[in-house]
Amino acid sequence: MFIKLILVFSLALVALSDFAPPKRQVNLDLPPAERWVEIFKEFKTPIMQIAEAAGSKIPTVEYYLLSTLLRWRFLTVEHSMELAGACKAIGLDYNTAVILNFMYELNAHCT
């Protein structure tokens, strides 16, 4: 009963709050390598922290092998160019970005 009360109270607070997530606009008319640059720059610090934590968990040889397999199997040329441009803008290793992208997709059950 207590948990139900907390849940109802929490949902009521969320419903009554004035919170709106920030909006971002991606211009799809730009070349693929430029589309996500501003958003990646805005979130550079947390992206780099996650990349550092994730990169330390996978041995080097497996890391690059996994990245290569994921690119060959799942990335379109356009997606690859978008990711490469964003990585270049914030100084993130492309292979790391490929792995992080698929870690998110697998966790979110999108693919």
Side-chain angles (χ1 to χ4, degrees):
M1 176 65 180
F2 182 69
I3 292 179
K4 287 181 183 178
L5 183 61
I6 290 175
L7 180 61
V8 168
F9 182 69
S10 299
L11 290 173
L13 285 177
V14 169
L16 296 174
S17 71
D18 237 359
F19 175 77
K23 294 181 180 180
R24 304 294 182 274
Q25 192 169 28
V26 177
N27 184 350
L28 298 178
D29 292 330
L30 289 173
E34 298 174 20
R35 292 177 186 162
W36 295 92
V37 168
E38 294 306 315
I39 294 172
F40 265 64
K41 284 181 180 178
E42 182 178 347
F43 294 99
K44 178 180 180 175
T45 301
I47 290 170
M48 297 304 273
Q49 290 170 342
I50 292 167
E52 183 179 322
S56 65
K57 306 288 184 207
I58 305 171
T60 307
V61 173
E62 288 87 347
Y63 188 78
Y64 289 103
L65 179 62
L66 177 60
S67 173
T68 302
L69 291 172
L70 288 171
R71 281 183 306 195
W72 284 348
R73 178 67 177 102
F74 296 105
L75 285 184
T76 64
V77 172
E78 187 170 352
H79 188 180
S80 209
M81 291 168 61
E82 288 177 343
L83 204 52
C87 289
K88 183 178 178 184
I90 65 169
L92 178 63
D93 176 63
Y94 179 73
N95 292 307
T96 301
V98 169
I99 290 173
L100 289 177
N101 185 62
F102 282 97
M103 287 172 64
Y104 167 77
E105 297 258 352
L106 290 172
N107 187 45
H109 307 290
C110 292
T111 54

